Amino acid sequence: MARTISLKDSGRFKDPANLTWERYVALQARERERYLAERATIADDALNYRTVSPRYLERAVDQFANNYYSELSATHYIATAAANAPFDELKKCCLFQVADEQRHLEMDREVFERAGIPERDWLPAWEAPGTTCRFFRHLLELDDTIEILVKGNFVAEGAAGPGTFAVLADGAEARGDVFSAVNHRARVRDETRHISFARVLVKALIEDDPANLDVIQKWQDESLQLFVEVARGGERRAWWEGFLASYYKIALPLGLRPSSLPI
Ligand SMILES: [Fe+2]
Ligand SMILES: [Fe+2]
């Protein structure tokens, strides 16, 4: 089976957000302003993690690492996708996403810093079992734009979409971590756009050549398999269920089948 697929008729892909450089720059500026305004409403003690329990912080390091390093990975793999993009409309979407992910990365870096977690502890938390590290390291090895977008945007972001970020935001807020909650709610507005263009791309690929569905199915199965370890142990059950539900909601209508995942 072919490992690489292409969109023979690139006219089938159109950015669903219909962004131009001018519109994107205006949107980014608005988003940043809105984010800063929301952050400004957080009391200083809460913003600096003086109101959460020490136990919360101890357990949250894993989650902070999952947020920070997945955004760091995203800035890299989406830059590769932009560099190798087969046509301009797709390149444009990838380039805008580079800027989005960069902003998410900054937010998550600030969480680590304000929470007072020494930088030497960040990477070990990410490399520990049960994180999304294995998936993102796989993505960073790829150089094919279509494969990166299917695995990174369609599968991973499609899964980690609105549903799971809501779970994360509500969970953080309930434990007094208002800053993480604001961050999750800000990032989800961009991720929704990343998912939308990937969805349009997948739909176009399948319409272009129905045989592409088999390759996309394989990429989906590989990706979800790399995520399974995050669900093991049962601690992240609500997260995992929301994760699969978000993804299948966009994937099944396009003809993909659920993956069989031994948990
Ligand atoms: Fe992001
Ligand atoms: Fe994203």
Side-chain angles (χ1 to χ4, degrees):
M1 188 197 294
R3 285 293 315 184
T4 318
I5 53 178
S6 60
L7 191 61
K8 289 189 277 301
D9 176 6
S10 63
R12 288 181 192 271
F13 177 83
K14 267 205 117 351
D15 170 15
N18 196 24
L19 290 171
T20 58
W21 282 99
E22 211 176 1
R23 278 192 221 124
Y24 177 72
V25 169
L27 178 124
Q28 255 279 354
R30 261 198 325 272
E31 277 294 326
R32 187 178 282 273
E33 220 169 277
R34 179 174 169 183
Y35 170 69
L36 292 174
E38 279 170 18
R39 200 186 59 170
T41 65
I42 306 173
D44 198 60
D45 269 356
L47 187 63
N48 291 294
Y49 287 86
R50 289 192 290 264
T51 53
V52 298
S53 70
R55 188 175 145 77
Y56 171 75
L57 269 193
E58 224 173 83
R59 310 183 105 215
V61 175
D62 266 19
Q63 185 60 55
F64 293 169
N66 265 312
N67 300 338
Y68 174 75
Y69 286 104
S70 55
E71 299 292 4
L72 178 62
S73 305
T75 60
H76 287 263
Y77 67 69
I78 202 63
T80 304
N84 298 335
F87 52 92
D88 281 352
E89 182 76 347
L90 198 56
K91 186 189 282 276
K92 182 201 75 176
C93 291
C94 295
L95 287 171
F96 293 160
Q97 188 180 338
V98 174
D100 296 333
E101 307 296 7
Q102 171 68 37
R103 204 156 49 84
H104 306 163
L105 173 65
E106 281 172 25
M107 303 188 314
D108 290 320
R109 190 173 178 90
E110 196 182 345
V111 166
F112 262 140
E113 286 169 352
R114 289 193 183 271
I117 301 173
E119 192 156 352
R120 64 172 181 276
D121 295 345
W122 303 0
L123 192 59
W126 168 245
E127 288 175 334
T131 74
T132 57
C133 179
R134 263 56 54 188
F135 171 77
F136 285 105
R137 293 241 159 114
H138 166 69
L139 231 55
L140 290 169
E141 284 169 5
L142 306 176
D143 49 32
D144 179 71
T145 300
I146 308 277
E147 186 173 359
I148 291 172
L149 291 174
V150 169
K151 290 180 167 174
N153 285 37
F154 184 69
V155 181
E157 296 206 72
T164 50
F165 282 118
V167 170
L168 290 176
D170 295 348
E173 194 164 37
R175 290 164 187 84
D177 183 0
V178 193
F179 187 32
S180 287
V182 165
N183 288 352
H184 287 313
R185 287 170 191 144
R187 105 178 76 226
V188 90
R189 295 192 284 271
D190 293 327
E191 313 300 13
T192 304
R193 188 158 27 84
H194 306 161
I195 298 163
S196 300
F197 88 79
R199 211 188 131 274
V200 169
L201 177 66
V202 166
K203 191 164 179 286
L205 285 163
I206 296 167
E207 283 166 2
D208 199 49
D209 181 353
N212 288 339
L213 183 62
D214 287 344
V215 179
I216 296 167
Q217 179 73 43
K218 196 167 187 303
W219 287 343
Q220 168 201 293
D221 296 345
E222 283 170 10
S223 302
L224 292 177
Q225 188 58 52
L226 286 164
F227 272 110
V228 161
E229 69 164 293
V230 184
R232 287 204 181 111
E235 268 182 60
R236 292 201 175 90
R237 202 71 223 185
W239 178 89
W240 177 247
E241 273 158 22
F243 184 83
L244 286 182
S246 293
Y247 173 66
Y248 288 140
K249 205 164 129 189
I250 59 162
L252 303 186
L254 295 179
L256 289 141
R257 299 178 314 276
S259 303
S260 50
L261 299 164
I263 299 181

